[in-house]
């Protein structure tokens, strides 16, 4: 079917009310979880083909997180979907007030290539839990995972409920010309702006998960060996191709040299003396991005790494530390690879100013044991979310929203917030019929204003 016909059929299906019963949504989520478990090996193979992800990393950072999110949604969906009773002003007596969560209708989810399974299915869970129909558009840069998801979801959902559209730019453009009731986009700022522009034609609400240059700040009070280990984990996960990967390192000059040596040690501990030969090291997604990353290193002073190995599809780049500055090449764009500029500072005010002179990042990671430093950074820097004394892990919780601010995105999801991201809150007042105070009706009587002021003040 053509894309317009697919969207139209989803609108027709949604109008039947088939997705509205909570029991139907729960059953669908349970079926999705069962199918993912049944096809886990196929999904791992697809992630290996697209990005060379090991089975462990594929489960830890994609499949396992999706299964966990599914389990949480299945457990809590009935509670989320119930009408929410809220207080009623005395002026509206006798009545009761409540909020109904209703689905938007037909939603478009546009997913990226770096975590092609997680960042497709995680928002899909929220959309289905909320009762929407969904068109899912995975990235063409991860074709094996895209096809595996299309096959899997076709076994669980009627295509009028959930449909996967494979393909590239032509399909993206066609989808954005359609009218949806909600758009959820994960990707870069350039395409995010286009999505918002296209959505504005129909006044479609959007949720944008973008990115940006997420900083690490390490002061002299930090546990340097532990900080190095956790920074290395965050940078090497998915070869740095993570929207919340540490993008640059601000380190107090008194501990800069020590931290650099500890990072080198951790890179060797995690990937060995020959990282380019490590079978578990994730590949750069394609030749275009591989060449872009190599270009960021041209003419720069390297503290370690810099080596690369190419294959017919793309290649691998060693974990690389760059002697950084505000003007160096890696500081001019989001890196999205295993390259980390290292920039020294003398006091925490300088580090805060450096962060605040740039666009608001999706994440910030602070390593310190000084509570005053922690309060200063968290109070004065604006960013989507982050960690104190760790990296990445703040997104792996159901109890906090994950999302950006400013140019790093708008809106958030995970756990109940995924359900709410695809739900409209319909505010209702149900007024009793046994009493009808006449004072609000025209003609207004003298003296009633004094009575009105008793309620509204």
């Amino acid at each position: 079917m053509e894309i317009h016909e697919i969207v139209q059929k989803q609108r027709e299906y949604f109008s039947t009310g088939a997705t509205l019963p909570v029991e139907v949504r729960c059953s669908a989520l349970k079926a999705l979880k069962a199918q993912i478990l049944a096809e886990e090996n196929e999904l791992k193979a697809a992630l290996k083909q697209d990005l060379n992800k090991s089975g462990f990393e594929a489960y830890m950072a994609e499949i396992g997180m999706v299964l966990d999110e599914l389990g949480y949604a299945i457990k809590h969906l009935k509670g989320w979907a119930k009408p929410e009773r809220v207080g009623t002003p005395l002026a509206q007596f006798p009545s009761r007030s409540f909020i109904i969560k209703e689905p938007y209708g037909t939603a478009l989810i546009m997913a990226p290539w770096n975590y092609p399974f997680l960042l497709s299915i995680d928002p899909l869970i929220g959309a289905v839990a909320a009762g929407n129909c969904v068109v899912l558009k995975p990235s063409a840069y991860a074709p094996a995972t895209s096809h595996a998801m299309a096959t899997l979801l076709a076994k669980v959902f009627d295509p009028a409920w959930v449909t996967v559209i494979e393909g590239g730019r032509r399909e993206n453009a066609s989808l954005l010309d359609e009218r949806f009731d909600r758009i959820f986009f994960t990707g870069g700022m350039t395409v995010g702006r286009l999505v918002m522009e296209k959505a504005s034609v129909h006044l479609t609400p959007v949720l944008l998960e973008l990115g940006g240059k997420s900083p690490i700040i390490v002061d002299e009070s930090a546990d340097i060996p532990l900080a190095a280990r956790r920074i290395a984990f965050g940078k090497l996960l998915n070869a740095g191709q993570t929207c919340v990967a540490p993008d640059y390192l601000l380190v107090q000059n008194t501990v800069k040299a020590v931290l650099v040596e500890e990072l080198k040690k951790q890179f060797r501990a995690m990937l060995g003396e020959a990282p380019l030969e490590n079978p578990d090291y994730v590949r750069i997604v394609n030749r275009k991005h591989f060449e872009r990353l190599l270009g960021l290193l041209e003419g720069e002073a390297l503290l370690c790494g810099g080596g690369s190995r190419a294959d017919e599809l793309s290649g691998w780049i060693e974990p690389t530390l760059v002697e950084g500055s505000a003007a160096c090449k890696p500081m001019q764009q989001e890196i999205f690879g295993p390259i980390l500029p290292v920039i020294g500072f003398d006091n925490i005010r300088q580090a805060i100013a450096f962060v605040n002179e740039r666009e608001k990042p999706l994440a910030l990671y602070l390593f310190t044991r000084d509570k005053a430093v922690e309060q200063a950074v968290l109070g004065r820097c604006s960013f989507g979310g982050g960690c104190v004394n760790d990296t990445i892990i703040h997104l792996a919780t159901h109890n906090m929203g994950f999302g950006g601010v400013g140019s790093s995105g708008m809106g958030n999801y995970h756990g109940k917030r995924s359900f709410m991201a695809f739900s409209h809150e319909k505010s209702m007042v149900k007024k009793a019929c046994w009493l009808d105070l006449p004072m609000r009706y025209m003609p207004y009587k003298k003296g009633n204003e004094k009575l009105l002021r008793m309620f509204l003040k």
Side-chain angles (χ1 to χ4, degrees):
M1 288 188 290
E2 292 294 324
I3 285 174
H4 180 74
E5 187 180 354
I6 290 170
V7 176
Q8 186 59 36
K9 285 191 175 296
Q10 289 209 342
R11 288 192 172 282
E12 292 170 1
Y13 187 76
F14 180 77
S15 69
T16 68
T19 67
L20 298 184
V22 175
E23 296 76 13
V24 171
R25 304 182 216 171
C26 280
S27 295
L29 294 177
K30 289 175 182 177
L32 176 58
K33 185 173 185 178
Q35 197 63 40
I36 290 171
L37 288 168
E39 298 189 24
E40 181 181 329
N41 290 335
E42 288 84 349
L43 292 169
K44 286 181 176 178
L47 291 164
K48 182 73 172 179
Q49 183 176 335
D50 285 332
L51 289 156
N52 195 48
K53 289 195 181 187
S54 67
F56 183 89
E57 189 163 327
Y59 191 87
M60 175 181 68
E62 301 224 38
I63 299 168
M65 289 185 68
V66 165
L67 292 172
D68 194 44
E69 185 82 354
L70 271 167
Y72 190 81
I74 291 165
K75 180 179 179 180
H76 294 282
L77 177 53
K78 288 183 180 178
W80 296 342
K82 286 181 179 178
E84 179 184 349
R85 184 78 178 264
V86 296
T88 303
L90 182 60
Q92 296 180 13
F93 178 84
S95 61
R96 64 185 181 93
S97 302
F98 54 97
I99 299 169
I100 297 172
K101 291 94 166 184
E102 68 175 16
Y104 280 105
T106 299
L108 170 63
I109 297 173
M110 304 184 77
W113 52 263
N114 57 328
Y115 291 86
F117 184 70
L118 172 68
L119 298 181
S120 295
I121 306 300
D122 242 27
L124 176 72
I125 293 167
V128 170
N132 297 272
C133 292
V134 183
V135 174
L136 172 62
K137 175 58 183 67
S139 172
Y141 286 172
T145 309
S146 176
H147 186 67
M149 287 190 294
T151 302
L152 185 154
L153 291 171
K155 296 175 183 176
V156 177
F157 295 97
D158 185 312
W161 188 352
V162 174
T163 298
V164 178
I165 303 292
E166 297 183 80
R169 291 183 179 180
R170 186 179 69 85
E171 287 74 17
N172 288 342
S174 296
L175 284 166
L176 289 174
D177 284 335
E178 293 294 325
R179 180 170 188 161
F180 288 93
D181 301 298
R182 181 67 155 154
I183 296 177
F184 187 110
F185 171 80
T186 305
M189 283 182 275
T190 301
V191 181
R193 291 188 182 96
L194 175 63
V195 170
M196 199 167 181
E197 178 184 336
K198 290 286 190 176
S200 70
V201 174
H202 301 296
L203 297 179
T204 302
V206 297
L207 194 155
L208 302 178
E209 294 291 343
L210 305 178
K213 297 187 72 63
S214 297
I216 316 163
I217 300 175
V218 181
D219 82 344
E220 60 189 3
S221 74
D223 181 329
I224 298 301
L226 182 62
R229 188 179 190 189
R230 291 175 176 176
I231 291 168
F233 162 77
K235 194 61 185 177
L236 297 185
L237 184 70
N238 207 34
Q241 299 171 115
T242 305
C243 59
V244 290
D247 195 274
Y248 64 95
L249 169 59
L250 298 173
V251 55
Q252 200 155 10
N253 284 316
T254 51
V255 293
K256 179 181 175 185
V258 178
L259 179 58
V260 167
E261 290 306 310
E262 288 291 335
L263 282 169
K264 293 178 185 178
K265 187 186 300 184
Q266 290 300 328
F267 291 153
R268 289 193 298 270
M270 293 182 186
L271 290 176
E273 296 292 340
L276 300 178
E277 306 302 324
N278 190 307
D280 291 336
Y281 193 22
V282 172
R283 184 178 61 237
I284 305 305
V285 66
N286 56 35
R287 184 58 66 93
K288 175 185 174 183
H289 285 281
F290 177 68
E291 298 292 345
R292 178 185 63 82
L293 290 168
L294 292 180
L296 295 181
L297 299 179
E298 291 177 0
E300 299 296 331
L302 306 186
L303 300 171
C304 75
S308 63
R309 177 172 73 86
D311 65 9
E312 66 279 5
L313 297 174
S314 178
W316 291 258
I317 297 174
E318 290 177 341
T320 303
L321 297 177
V322 176
E323 185 66 66
S325 69
C328 72
K329 286 182 182 177
M331 285 301 296
Q332 307 314 306
Q333 59 181 261
E334 185 177 2
I335 295 170
F336 231 65
I339 297 168
L340 187 64
V342 182
I343 302 170
F345 66 86
D346 293 321
N347 59 68
I348 198 64
R349 293 188 304 276
Q350 292 176 342
I352 291 170
F354 193 93
V355 172
N356 288 343
E357 287 165 2
R358 286 153 182 80
E359 295 286 356
K360 296 178 181 181
L362 184 55
L364 182 146
Y365 306 112
L366 172 65
F367 288 84
T368 185
R369 288 184 281 197
D370 186 327
K371 288 191 175 180
V373 169
E374 178 182 334
Q375 290 173 357
V377 172
L378 300 190
R380 294 176 58 190
C381 294
S382 180
F383 52 94
C387 305
V388 177
N389 296 322
D390 211 334
T391 62
I392 305 292
I393 62 168
H394 65 290
L395 59 82
T397 173
H398 306 299
N399 299 313
M400 298 191 299
F402 171 72
V405 60
S407 65
S408 61
M410 61 178 69
N412 58 65
Y413 71 121
H414 287 182
K416 183 179 180 180
R417 288 170 177 82
S418 290
F419 172 85
M420 296 307 300
F422 290 93
S423 297
H424 165 64
E425 292 186 276
K426 188 160 56 179
S427 300
M428 299 296 302
V429 174
K430 184 174 182 180
K431 197 71 180 280
C433 298
W434 57 269
L435 178 65
D436 190 31
L437 297 175
M439 63 177 290
R440 65 171 170 159
Y441 299 111
M442 295 179 71
Y444 303 128
K445 295 181 180 178
K446 291 182 179 181
N448 276 358
E449 184 175 341
K450 185 177 180 179
L451 183 61
L452 179 66
R453 286 177 180 273
M454 295 175 59
F455 294 100
L456 301 177
K457 57 184 178 180

